[in-house]
Amino acid sequence: MRKRAKHSDAVMTGILVTKFKMGQIGVEDLELMAADESRAERCSAAKKVLGALRDGT
């Protein structure tokens, strides 16, 4: 993965975590984002957030 892509993915993950903590999105929204392969960056970030939620971290 290129450096720019890694940074962009990290930023998107941070945005999704913040929105989740603020109550702007829920688990259902994250699941829909993770299933949407058309936006690879958002899909990857949503999968990471869901994985962390399932692991309890």
Side-chain angles (χ1 to χ4, degrees), residues 26-49:
V27 175
E28 297 84 17
D29 298 320
L30 289 170
E31 288 173 345
L32 289 173
M33 288 180 209
D36 183 13
E37 297 281 331
S38 66
R39 300 201 54 191
E41 190 176 280
R42 180 178 273 183
C43 176
S44 172
K47 286 179 183 179
K48 288 179 184 178
V49 174

Side-chain angles (χ1 to χ4, degrees), residues 8-27 29-30 33 41-42 44-54 57:
S8 188
D9 190 47
V11 170
M12 181 58 72
T13 302
I15 290 169
L16 292 179
V17 167
T18 301
K19 284 186 171 192
F20 179 78
K21 286 184 176 183
M22 292 176 64
Q24 294 177 347
I25 59 174
V27 175
D29 298 320
L30 289 170
M33 288 180 209
E41 190 176 280
R42 180 178 273 183
S44 172
K47 286 179 183 179
K48 288 179 184 178
V49 174
L50 282 172
L53 289 173
R54 290 187 181 121
T57 57

Side-chain angles (χ1 to χ4, degrees), residues 1-10 41:
M1 193 182 262
R2 291 185 356 244
K3 184 177 181 179
R4 183 174 178 189
K6 285 183 184 180
H7 173 75
S8 188
D9 190 47
E41 190 176 280

